[in-house]
Amino acid sequence: MSPVSDLKIGVDVPWIASWSEEPQTGVSRCPSVDGQLAISQEIKPGVGEPVYTRAHLFRQRRSVGEMRCPMCGEPTQEDDRWSRTAQPTTAGALRAKGLGPALPPAMPDSQPLLDCGAIAPMHRACVDLGPAERLLPDDKSGRELRRFPKAWIIMPMWVEGRPPQPQGKSVAVVSFLQLIGVEGA
């Protein structure tokens, strides 16, 4: 067993980062997505080495679903939500990518949106800490810091999985949650 790290979660390592001793364990019902089938992963934050480039699936889903800061893990307040991953887009552009089923049918294609990907907004104080930047792929570093809008849409990202049962058939399971901010709502 790997030793417990001296690194402090929420200061040195983002709360949603995976650790080397947190392997994926298969498919199970997950409270982070209201009991739907989802990819499961051991929960041992702080054990082993941090894997900054891989979000822990359960913590990522909780972060987006509960608007928890991915750095410290605490809930964010409406007036203190900031995103560096948010990229301007429109409802029409998301529909063209096949993400339309998660959008309200009456939403016009011209509706301005912010595609945050899998990273929920952070507290401004946590943005200023710095280690959260390690969650962003190199091609996303240096993106503009944006205030997160008051309205949002959560899109489950589905993958093929097998539930843990004899002769289980492949089914759609949630991997992570994608976050879309609704501008001007």
mmCIF file of all heavy atoms in Angstrom, residues 3-31:
data_model
loop_
_atom_site.group_PDB
_atom_site.id
_atom_site.type_symbol
_atom_site.label_atom_id
_atom_site.label_comp_id
_atom_site.label_asym_id
_atom_site.label_seq_id
_atom_site.Cartn_x
_atom_site.Cartn_y
_atom_site.Cartn_z
ATOM 1 N N PRO A 3 1.970 5.097 0.737
ATOM 2 C CA PRO A 3 1.804 5.949 1.913
ATOM 3 C C PRO A 3 0.858 7.120 1.644
ATOM 4 O O PRO A 3 0.651 7.521 0.503
ATOM 5 C CB PRO A 3 3.219 6.452 2.174
ATOM 6 C CG PRO A 3 3.900 6.392 0.847
ATOM 7 C CD PRO A 3 3.269 5.228 0.120
ATOM 8 N N VAL A 4 0.318 7.652 2.727
ATOM 9 C CA VAL A 4 -0.508 8.847 2.646
ATOM 10 C C VAL A 4 0.415 10.022 2.323
ATOM 11 O O VAL A 4 1.500 10.146 2.880
ATOM 12 C CB VAL A 4 -1.268 9.080 3.980
ATOM 13 C CG1 VAL A 4 -2.004 10.406 3.953
ATOM 14 C CG2 VAL A 4 -2.230 7.928 4.241
ATOM 15 N N SER A 5 -0.008 10.843 1.402
ATOM 16 C CA SER A 5 0.799 11.965 0.939
ATOM 17 C C SER A 5 0.824 13.098 1.961
ATOM 18 O O SER A 5 -0.139 13.296 2.716
ATOM 19 C CB SER A 5 0.225 12.486 -0.382
ATOM 20 O OG SER A 5 0.909 13.636 -0.817
ATOM 21 N N ASP A 6 1.889 13.855 1.944
ATOM 22 C CA ASP A 6 1.993 15.064 2.763
ATOM 23 C C ASP A 6 1.346 16.260 2.075
ATOM 24 O O ASP A 6 1.193 17.314 2.689
ATOM 25 C CB ASP A 6 3.464 15.398 3.047
ATOM 26 C CG ASP A 6 4.115 14.385 3.973
ATOM 27 O OD1 ASP A 6 3.395 13.755 4.776
ATOM 28 O OD2 ASP A 6 5.350 14.220 3.882
ATOM 29 N N LEU A 7 0.987 16.106 0.801
ATOM 30 C CA LEU A 7 0.355 17.199 0.066
ATOM 31 C C LEU A 7 -1.047 17.441 0.621
ATOM 32 O O LEU A 7 -1.756 16.506 0.972
ATOM 33 C CB LEU A 7 0.277 16.864 -1.422
ATOM 34 C CG LEU A 7 1.622 16.678 -2.134
ATOM 35 C CD1 LEU A 7 1.400 16.171 -3.560
ATOM 36 C CD2 LEU A 7 2.392 17.990 -2.144
ATOM 37 N N LYS A 8 -1.435 18.705 0.677
ATOM 38 C CA LYS A 8 -2.735 19.067 1.247
ATOM 39 C C LYS A 8 -3.770 19.231 0.129
ATOM 40 O O LYS A 8 -3.594 20.045 -0.775
ATOM 41 C CB LYS A 8 -2.607 20.351 2.059
ATOM 42 C CG LYS A 8 -3.874 20.726 2.783
ATOM 43 C CD LYS A 8 -3.594 21.859 3.761
ATOM 44 C CE LYS A 8 -4.807 22.484 4.330
ATOM 45 N NZ LYS A 8 -5.740 21.840 5.052
ATOM 46 N N ILE A 9 -4.838 18.431 0.233
ATOM 47 C CA ILE A 9 -5.932 18.521 -0.739
ATOM 48 C C ILE A 9 -6.626 19.870 -0.551
ATOM 49 O O ILE A 9 -6.937 20.282 0.561
ATOM 50 C CB ILE A 9 -6.921 17.358 -0.563
ATOM 51 C CG1 ILE A 9 -6.206 16.038 -0.863
ATOM 52 C CG2 ILE A 9 -8.154 17.539 -1.445
ATOM 53 C CD1 ILE A 9 -6.985 14.807 -0.485
ATOM 54 N N GLY A 10 -6.846 20.566 -1.642
ATOM 55 C CA GLY A 10 -7.476 21.884 -1.597
ATOM 56 C C GLY A 10 -6.467 23.010 -1.556
ATOM 57 O O GLY A 10 -6.824 24.169 -1.720
ATOM 58 N N VAL A 11 -5.202 22.674 -1.330
ATOM 59 C CA VAL A 11 -4.139 23.687 -1.336
ATOM 60 C C VAL A 11 -3.078 23.300 -2.372
ATOM 61 O O VAL A 11 -2.796 24.056 -3.288
ATOM 62 C CB VAL A 11 -3.494 23.848 0.065
ATOM 63 C CG1 VAL A 11 -2.325 24.812 0.014
ATOM 64 C CG2 VAL A 11 -4.543 24.313 1.071
ATOM 65 N N ASP A 12 -2.496 22.112 -2.201
ATOM 66 C CA ASP A 12 -1.458 21.638 -3.118
ATOM 67 C C ASP A 12 -2.037 20.821 -4.272
ATOM 68 O O ASP A 12 -1.452 20.772 -5.350
ATOM 69 C CB ASP A 12 -0.454 20.738 -2.378
ATOM 70 C CG ASP A 12 0.187 21.434 -1.193
ATOM 71 O OD1 ASP A 12 0.654 22.579 -1.374
ATOM 72 O OD2 ASP A 12 0.203 20.850 -0.101
ATOM 73 N N VAL A 13 -3.138 20.146 -4.020
ATOM 74 C CA VAL A 13 -3.756 19.239 -4.992
ATOM 75 C C VAL A 13 -5.250 19.540 -5.061
ATOM 76 O O VAL A 13 -5.913 19.607 -4.021
ATOM 77 C CB VAL A 13 -3.553 17.762 -4.569
ATOM 78 C CG1 VAL A 13 -4.176 16.828 -5.591
ATOM 79 C CG2 VAL A 13 -2.090 17.447 -4.363
ATOM 80 N N PRO A 14 -5.795 19.724 -6.270
ATOM 81 C CA PRO A 14 -7.236 19.951 -6.382
ATOM 82 C C PRO A 14 -8.045 18.777 -5.821
ATOM 83 O O PRO A 14 -7.664 17.615 -5.963
ATOM 84 C CB PRO A 14 -7.456 20.088 -7.887
ATOM 85 C CG PRO A 14 -6.131 20.538 -8.419
ATOM 86 C CD PRO A 14 -5.112 19.843 -7.568
ATOM 87 N N TRP A 15 -9.166 19.100 -5.196
ATOM 88 C CA TRP A 15 -10.058 18.106 -4.600
ATOM 89 C C TRP A 15 -10.479 17.050 -5.617
ATOM 90 O O TRP A 15 -10.605 15.877 -5.272
ATOM 91 C CB TRP A 15 -11.272 18.822 -4.010
ATOM 92 C CG TRP A 15 -12.327 17.932 -3.440
ATOM 93 C CD1 TRP A 15 -12.240 17.190 -2.296
ATOM 94 C CD2 TRP A 15 -13.633 17.700 -3.962
ATOM 95 N NE1 TRP A 15 -13.420 16.505 -2.079
ATOM 96 C CE2 TRP A 15 -14.288 16.811 -3.095
ATOM 97 C CE3 TRP A 15 -14.322 18.165 -5.077
ATOM 98 C CZ2 TRP A 15 -15.587 16.374 -3.310
ATOM 99 C CZ3 TRP A 15 -15.622 17.742 -5.292
ATOM 100 C CH2 TRP A 15 -16.235 16.843 -4.405
ATOM 101 N N ILE A 16 -10.721 17.433 -6.862
ATOM 102 C CA ILE A 16 -11.211 16.457 -7.831
ATOM 103 C C ILE A 16 -10.108 15.628 -8.481
ATOM 104 O O ILE A 16 -10.400 14.696 -9.232
ATOM 105 C CB ILE A 16 -12.099 17.080 -8.930
ATOM 106 C CG1 ILE A 16 -11.318 18.005 -9.848
ATOM 107 C CG2 ILE A 16 -13.309 17.748 -8.340
ATOM 108 C CD1 ILE A 16 -12.070 18.367 -11.118
ATOM 109 N N ALA A 17 -8.856 15.920 -8.215
ATOM 110 C CA ALA A 17 -7.777 15.144 -8.827
ATOM 111 C C ALA A 17 -7.814 13.691 -8.335
ATOM 112 O O ALA A 17 -8.116 13.416 -7.181
ATOM 113 C CB ALA A 17 -6.420 15.760 -8.497
ATOM 114 N N SER A 18 -7.508 12.774 -9.231
ATOM 115 C CA SER A 18 -7.364 11.363 -8.846
ATOM 116 C C SER A 18 -6.014 11.166 -8.172
ATOM 117 O O SER A 18 -5.093 11.958 -8.350
ATOM 118 C CB SER A 18 -7.415 10.457 -10.087
ATOM 119 O OG SER A 18 -8.722 10.271 -10.527
ATOM 120 N N TRP A 19 -5.919 10.080 -7.427
ATOM 121 C CA TRP A 19 -4.663 9.667 -6.788
ATOM 122 C C TRP A 19 -4.302 8.294 -7.325
ATOM 123 O O TRP A 19 -5.169 7.530 -7.751
ATOM 124 C CB TRP A 19 -4.837 9.648 -5.268
ATOM 125 C CG TRP A 19 -4.959 11.035 -4.717
ATOM 126 C CD1 TRP A 19 -6.058 11.834 -4.762
ATOM 127 C CD2 TRP A 19 -3.940 11.801 -4.086
ATOM 128 N NE1 TRP A 19 -5.793 13.049 -4.188
ATOM 129 C CE2 TRP A 19 -4.490 13.050 -3.763
ATOM 130 C CE3 TRP A 19 -2.602 11.547 -3.756
ATOM 131 C CZ2 TRP A 19 -3.760 14.046 -3.125
ATOM 132 C CZ3 TRP A 19 -1.881 12.546 -3.109
ATOM 133 C CH2 TRP A 19 -2.456 13.780 -2.808
ATOM 134 N N SER A 20 -3.026 7.975 -7.280
ATOM 135 C CA SER A 20 -2.540 6.722 -7.870
ATOM 136 C C SER A 20 -3.176 5.482 -7.258
ATOM 137 O O SER A 20 -3.225 4.434 -7.895
ATOM 138 C CB SER A 20 -1.017 6.635 -7.766
ATOM 139 O OG SER A 20 -0.594 6.707 -6.418
ATOM 140 N N GLU A 21 -3.706 5.574 -6.054
ATOM 141 C CA GLU A 21 -4.338 4.420 -5.404
ATOM 142 C C GLU A 21 -5.862 4.443 -5.535
ATOM 143 O O GLU A 21 -6.568 3.835 -4.739
ATOM 144 C CB GLU A 21 -3.930 4.366 -3.932
ATOM 145 C CG GLU A 21 -2.436 4.162 -3.729
ATOM 146 C CD GLU A 21 -1.926 2.873 -4.363
ATOM 147 O OE1 GLU A 21 -2.546 1.813 -4.151
ATOM 148 O OE2 GLU A 21 -0.910 2.937 -5.093
ATOM 149 N N GLU A 22 -6.364 5.129 -6.558
ATOM 150 C CA GLU A 22 -7.801 5.207 -6.803
ATOM 151 C C GLU A 22 -8.138 4.654 -8.200
ATOM 152 O O GLU A 22 -8.581 5.382 -9.075
ATOM 153 C CB GLU A 22 -8.296 6.653 -6.686
ATOM 154 C CG GLU A 22 -8.184 7.225 -5.298
ATOM 155 C CD GLU A 22 -8.752 8.631 -5.193
ATOM 156 O OE1 GLU A 22 -8.390 9.506 -6.021
ATOM 157 O OE2 GLU A 22 -9.563 8.858 -4.287
ATOM 158 N N PRO A 23 -7.961 3.356 -8.417
ATOM 159 C CA PRO A 23 -8.268 2.795 -9.732
ATOM 160 C C PRO A 23 -9.778 2.747 -9.993
ATOM 161 O O PRO A 23 -10.580 2.742 -9.062
ATOM 162 C CB PRO A 23 -7.699 1.379 -9.650
ATOM 163 C CG PRO A 23 -7.789 1.032 -8.199
ATOM 164 C CD PRO A 23 -7.518 2.332 -7.462
ATOM 165 N N GLN A 24 -10.120 2.709 -11.275
ATOM 166 C CA GLN A 24 -11.516 2.485 -11.632
ATOM 167 C C GLN A 24 -11.862 1.053 -11.261
ATOM 168 O O GLN A 24 -11.030 0.155 -11.363
ATOM 169 C CB GLN A 24 -11.731 2.739 -13.118
ATOM 170 C CG GLN A 24 -11.597 4.195 -13.477
ATOM 171 C CD GLN A 24 -11.850 4.466 -14.946
ATOM 172 O OE1 GLN A 24 -12.237 3.591 -15.715
ATOM 173 N NE2 GLN A 24 -11.645 5.703 -15.348
ATOM 174 N N THR A 25 -13.099 0.855 -10.808
ATOM 175 C CA THR A 25 -13.497 -0.468 -10.307
ATOM 176 C C THR A 25 -14.643 -1.095 -11.085
ATOM 177 O O THR A 25 -15.117 -2.163 -10.708
ATOM 178 C CB THR A 25 -13.883 -0.376 -8.818
ATOM 179 O OG1 THR A 25 -14.924 0.597 -8.677
ATOM 180 C CG2 THR A 25 -12.686 0.016 -7.969
ATOM 181 N N GLY A 26 -15.104 -0.469 -12.129
ATOM 182 C CA GLY A 26 -16.181 -1.051 -12.915
ATOM 183 C C GLY A 26 -17.387 -0.143 -12.997
ATOM 184 O O GLY A 26 -17.258 1.072 -13.071
ATOM 185 N N VAL A 27 -18.561 -0.748 -12.921
ATOM 186 C CA VAL A 27 -19.827 -0.031 -13.067
ATOM 187 C C VAL A 27 -20.698 -0.335 -11.862
ATOM 188 O O VAL A 27 -20.801 -1.483 -11.431
ATOM 189 C CB VAL A 27 -20.542 -0.472 -14.362
ATOM 190 C CG1 VAL A 27 -21.932 0.133 -14.449
ATOM 191 C CG2 VAL A 27 -19.715 -0.098 -15.584
ATOM 192 N N SER A 28 -21.295 0.709 -11.302
ATOM 193 C CA SER A 28 -22.230 0.520 -10.191
ATOM 194 C C SER A 28 -23.190 1.701 -10.154
ATOM 195 O O SER A 28 -22.987 2.703 -10.832
ATOM 196 C CB SER A 28 -21.476 0.392 -8.865
ATOM 197 O OG SER A 28 -20.771 1.578 -8.583
ATOM 198 N N ARG A 29 -24.211 1.581 -9.344
ATOM 199 C CA ARG A 29 -25.147 2.699 -9.149
ATOM 200 C C ARG A 29 -24.439 3.754 -8.300
ATOM 201 O O ARG A 29 -23.755 3.421 -7.336
ATOM 202 C CB ARG A 29 -26.425 2.216 -8.479
ATOM 203 C CG ARG A 29 -27.125 1.193 -9.344
ATOM 204 C CD ARG A 29 -28.631 1.253 -9.225
ATOM 205 N NE ARG A 29 -29.232 0.351 -10.198
ATOM 206 C CZ ARG A 29 -29.597 0.718 -11.425
ATOM 207 N NH1 ARG A 29 -29.444 1.958 -11.806
ATOM 208 N NH2 ARG A 29 -30.119 -0.150 -12.260
ATOM 209 N N CYS A 30 -24.587 4.998 -8.703
ATOM 210 C CA CYS A 30 -23.820 6.052 -8.047
ATOM 211 C C CYS A 30 -24.719 7.167 -7.529
ATOM 212 O O CYS A 30 -25.535 7.705 -8.284
ATOM 213 C CB CYS A 30 -22.794 6.622 -9.028
ATOM 214 S SG CYS A 30 -21.696 7.822 -8.258
ATOM 215 N N PRO A 31 -24.567 7.550 -6.259
ATOM 216 C CA PRO A 31 -25.375 8.643 -5.714
ATOM 217 C C PRO A 31 -25.079 9.993 -6.366
ATOM 218 O O PRO A 31 -25.909 10.890 -6.322
ATOM 219 C CB PRO A 31 -25.026 8.657 -4.228
ATOM 220 C CG PRO A 31 -23.708 7.968 -4.123
ATOM 221 C CD PRO A 31 -23.657 6.995 -5.264
#
